[in-house]
């Protein structure tokens, strides 16, 4: 398995991010939320992923950056779950939505549960 998060997998396009917020669907597993949209313009990549932590919940940039690093790491280690489940290119945005300071292990288990919930939701729609 390839446990990397290369630059070409990062969600940076303003158009794609705008589409996520206007047409995207959402899956939640407290304290995480995954917004996704099936995209056709991913430049050959199956997944484009971005992370976000609210400034409202964490005033200091140091704290926001810490949780963004943790989210990127949990995604990097568990993205194989998403890659096995999807066949079309997707854009994803992962949000950390609480003031609670969860440990890395808790966030990692929640990420796995969130990805499994996403897989269950998308496979249910296809049937």
């Amino acid at each position: 398995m390839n446990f990397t998060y290369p630059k070409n997998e990062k969600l940076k396009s303003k158009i794609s991010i705008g589409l996520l917020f206007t047409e995207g669907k959402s899956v939640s597993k407290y304290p995480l939320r995954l917004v996704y949209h099936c995209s056709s313009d991913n430049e050959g990549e199956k997944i484009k992923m971005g992370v976000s932590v609210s400034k409202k919940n964490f005033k200091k940039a140091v704290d926001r950056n810490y949780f963004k690093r943790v989210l990127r790491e949990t995604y990097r280690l568990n993205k194989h779950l998403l890659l096995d489940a999807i066949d079309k290119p997707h854009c994803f945005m992962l949000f950390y939505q609480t003031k609670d300071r969860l440990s890395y292990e808790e966030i990692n288990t929640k990420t796995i549960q969130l990805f499994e919930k996403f897989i269950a939701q998308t496979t249910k729609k296809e049937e």
Side-chain angles (χ1 to χ4, degrees):
M1 277 186 280
N2 188 5
F3 292 110
T4 60
Y5 184 40
K7 191 174 187 178
N8 57 357
E9 244 179 55
K10 294 181 175 141
L11 181 63
K12 295 181 179 182
S13 165
K14 288 187 179 186
I15 295 168
S16 297
I17 293 170
L19 277 173
L20 270 176
F21 288 110
T22 56
E23 300 175 12
K25 296 173 187 69
S26 176
V27 176
S28 293
K29 185 72 182 171
Y30 178 84
L32 303 175
R33 186 167 140 235
L34 183 72
V35 178
Y36 62 95
H37 182 261
C38 190
S39 166
S40 58
D41 59 336
N42 274 9
E43 297 102 35
E45 290 297 318
K46 222 173 171 185
I47 291 180
K48 290 275 190 182
M49 174 67 83
V51 296
S52 178
V53 178
S54 173
K55 197 174 192 175
K56 187 174 102 180
N57 294 336
F58 296 101
K59 301 292 185 212
K60 295 182 179 173
V62 174
D63 298 328
R64 287 194 305 277
N65 291 340
Y66 169 76
F67 284 104
K68 287 194 283 188
R69 264 195 317 274
V70 170
L71 289 175
R72 281 192 294 267
E73 181 68 5
T74 58
Y75 160 72
R76 184 184 72 82
L77 294 174
N78 299 303
K79 74 176 181 179
H80 63 276
L81 297 171
L82 294 175
L83 286 170
D84 295 342
I86 61 173
D87 50 354
K88 294 183 233 166
H90 278 71
C91 292
F92 294 99
M93 187 72 115
L94 191 57
F95 295 96
Y96 188 80
Q97 295 189 300
T98 183
K99 290 182 179 181
D100 301 335
R101 295 172 181 270
L102 298 178
S103 69
Y104 169 80
E105 289 79 18
E106 291 172 306
I107 295 173
N108 192 35
T109 56
K110 294 292 184 179
T111 304
I112 293 169
Q113 292 170 355
L114 180 69
F115 288 172
E116 288 169 348
K117 190 173 178 182
F118 163 76
I119 292 164
Q121 184 173 320
T122 53
T123 53
K124 183 175 64 178
K125 285 183 182 176
E126 291 172 0
E127 291 173 356

